[in-house]
């Protein structure tokens, strides 16, 4: 529908505007987090609880992967092509090393994440 298309384009415009505001933070976070991905085991969990409810657990590597995906997407969409290409290529190289480390550690679940 036309309304849905308009909302999607507004959403992507807003996302791009937000990413441009956060670029200095996103780039620093990406440079810090990506090389550390190989150190996070698939068994690591985060336990959180809100007041009055039972504790909820989440897999740390899945949380990091999701946030990293969103941060990379925002950083790449908000930068000029040469810079975004360099960030992407650096991320791919670091993630390849992380995957190789997880393979050598026989952590198949981490490789899949």
């Amino acid at each position: 529908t036309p309304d849905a298309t308009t909302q999607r384009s507004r959403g992507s415009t807003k996302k791009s505007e937000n990413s441009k505001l956060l670029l200095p933070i996103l780039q620093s976070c990406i440079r810090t987090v990506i090389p550390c991905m190989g150190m996070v085991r698939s068994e690591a969990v985060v336990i959180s609880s809100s007041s009055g409810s039972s504790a909820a657990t989440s897999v740390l590597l899945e949380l990091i992967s999701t946030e990293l995906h969103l941060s990379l997407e925002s950083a790449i969409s908000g930068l000029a092509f040469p810079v975004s290409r360099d960030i992407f290529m650096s991320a791919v190289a670091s993630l390849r090393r992380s995957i190789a480390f997880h393979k050598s550690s026989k952590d198949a679940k981490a490789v899949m994440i």
Side-chain angles (χ1 to χ4, degrees), residues 4 6 8 35 43 48-49 58 77 80-81 87:
T6 304
R8 276 194 299 260
E43 295 88 22
S48 61
S49 70
S58 301
S77 69
F81 175 74
I87 288 175

Side-chain angles (χ1 to χ4, degrees), residues 12-27 73-80:
S12 64
T13 302
K14 184 72 171 167
K15 187 178 192 179
S16 179
E17 290 171 5
N18 290 341
S19 66
K20 287 179 184 177
L21 293 173
L22 294 172
L23 282 178
I25 298 167
L26 290 174
Q27 286 179 310
E73 185 178 291
S74 295
I76 290 171
S77 69
L79 294 169

Side-chain angles (χ1 to χ4, degrees), residues 18-95:
N18 290 341
S19 66
K20 287 179 184 177
L21 293 173
L22 294 172
L23 282 178
I25 298 167
L26 290 174
Q27 286 179 310
S28 300
C29 291
I30 289 169
R31 281 190 212 109
T32 303
V33 172
I34 289 179
C36 299
M37 291 289 289
M39 293 182 231
V40 181
R41 311 295 297 166
S42 63
E43 295 88 22
V45 294
V46 176
I47 301 171
S48 61
S49 70
S50 55
S51 59
S53 66
S54 62
T57 61
S58 301
V59 176
L60 180 60
L61 191 57
E62 288 177 0
L63 292 173
I64 293 172
S65 295
T66 301
E67 289 299 323
L68 186 61
H69 172 78
L70 295 172
S71 296
L72 276 171
E73 185 178 291
S74 295
I76 290 171
S77 69
L79 294 169
F81 175 74
V83 178
S84 64
R85 178 196 59 216
D86 292 346
I87 288 175
F88 173 77
M89 296 303 285
S90 174
V92 168
S94 293
L95 290 172

